[in-house]
Amino acid sequence: IAKLKAAGVKHELLALAGARETRREASFVGWLLALTAFAQGSFISHDLLLFFLFFEATLVPSYFLVSQWGGPERSRAALKFFVYTFVGSAFLLVGFVYVAYVHSTQSHSWTFSLLNLVGTHLTGVAGVLVLLAMTFAFAIKAPLWPFHTWLPDAAGAAKPGTAVLLIGHVTKEGSIAGPRLLEHLVDTVLYFEGDPNSSFRLIRAFKNRFGAVNELGVFAMTEKGLREVSNPSALFLSHHTSQVAGSCI
């Protein structure tokens, strides 16, 4: 919710700035608002098909915002962005259709609703390939290395307001909305977290269909790799430089 509210404020400010556009300002603001609606739709969709439609629909206004109101390299950058994300979306569509097909074989009903697909069991090589296909699509939109080359070109060729929108919101469809969607389709979700200023890392279960999620694993990054911390309580308590009234682990 906070992400959606922040994005809404940002889009309103960009729309006001776009109203000062001297060349086809009405079209510029129109495409900007269309991109706003499609991007927001991908974050609130609870249906795979709706998510895919919103996910794809953002390509059209993004393409025109870059190609029509950009720098000298705007046409090439816009085309590269469109081709990259469109190819990734093809894998995403195949993955969604396969998940719905597997669900239909298990429940004898076709649906793309996440509420119904949560119980779908994806096993074997096919299940792994489906998740890899979805991850590939989201990695392009995020973008992650080595599929990131479209972003510098598109952001560099676009106007500053459009670049802010591409980097600050459109890419979040791949880095936030996409992974959150996948969390509904798998049995277990583990978070690997840590402070950049500390050598310790935490692994915690955010979702576990086969057990509890109130357990935490503590590991240390050493010169030989990741090593388990056998006594985390003693580790945390040892950080007190002076006596304290009490501690809670």
Side-chain angles (χ1 to χ4, degrees):
I1 300 299
K3 171 66 179 175
L4 294 177
K5 291 181 179 179
V9 173
K10 176 172 59 182
H11 290 144
E12 291 176 2
L13 294 176
L14 291 176
L16 291 175
R20 302 176 58 185
E21 177 69 36
T22 58
R23 186 169 59 91
R24 292 181 295 167
E25 63 274 9
S27 298
F28 180 82
V29 174
W31 284 121
L32 186 65
L33 294 177
L35 181 58
T36 299
F38 297 148
Q40 299 279 38
S42 65
F43 280 91
I44 62 176
S45 297
H46 291 273
D47 185 277
L48 293 184
L49 189 58
L50 283 178
F51 176 88
F52 178 79
L53 293 177
F54 284 124
F55 190 85
E56 281 297 282
T58 57
L59 299 183
V60 178
S62 298
Y63 174 84
F64 284 107
L65 285 171
V66 175
S67 64
Q68 299 299 315
W69 293 274
E73 299 294 327
R74 60 183 184 272
S75 297
R76 184 185 65 85
L79 182 61
K80 183 177 182 179
F81 161 73
F82 188 90
V83 171
Y84 262 60
T85 52
F86 187 79
V87 170
S89 298
F91 288 88
L92 185 63
L93 180 60
V94 171
F96 285 172
V97 172
Y98 180 80
V99 171
Y101 167 74
V102 172
H103 177 79
S104 68
T105 61
Q106 297 175 0
S107 63
H108 307 288
S109 64
W110 271 89
T111 181
F112 287 92
S113 173
L114 276 176
L115 297 177
N116 297 323
L117 294 176
V118 168
T120 305
H121 297 287
L122 299 173
T123 58
V125 177
V128 174
L129 292 177
V130 167
L131 292 178
L132 288 177
M134 296 181 186
T135 303
F136 173 71
F138 296 139
I140 292 178
K141 201 65 172 283
L144 301 178
W145 184 89
F147 313 110
H148 66 290
T149 57
W150 66 264
L151 183 58
D153 293 342
K159 294 179 69 67
T162 304
V164 168
L165 196 59
L166 288 175
I167 298 173
H169 195 57
V170 173
T171 58
K172 299 304 181 289
E173 290 183 314
S175 60
I176 297 179
R180 288 295 185 183
L181 187 77
L182 289 180
E183 288 180 357
H184 294 281
L185 303 177
V186 296
D187 295 325
T188 304
V189 178
L190 300 178
Y191 281 3
F192 186 69
E193 303 169 332
D195 190 333
N197 299 320
S198 173
S199 61
F200 298 104
R201 300 293 184 265
L202 304 178
I203 295 182
R204 63 185 180 92
F206 179 76
K207 173 187 176 182
N208 186 3
R209 189 174 294 173
F210 308 107
V213 293
N214 57 354
E215 296 180 353
L216 187 70
V218 182
F219 298 84
M221 292 293 295
T222 67
E223 64 275 6
K224 296 183 179 180
L226 202 62
R227 294 291 184 267
E228 179 185 3
V229 176
S230 57
N231 191 356
S233 299
L235 171 69
F236 295 140
L237 291 173
S238 66
H239 284 186
H240 293 293
T241 57
S242 59
Q243 292 185 355
V244 293
S247 300
C248 180
I249 301 298

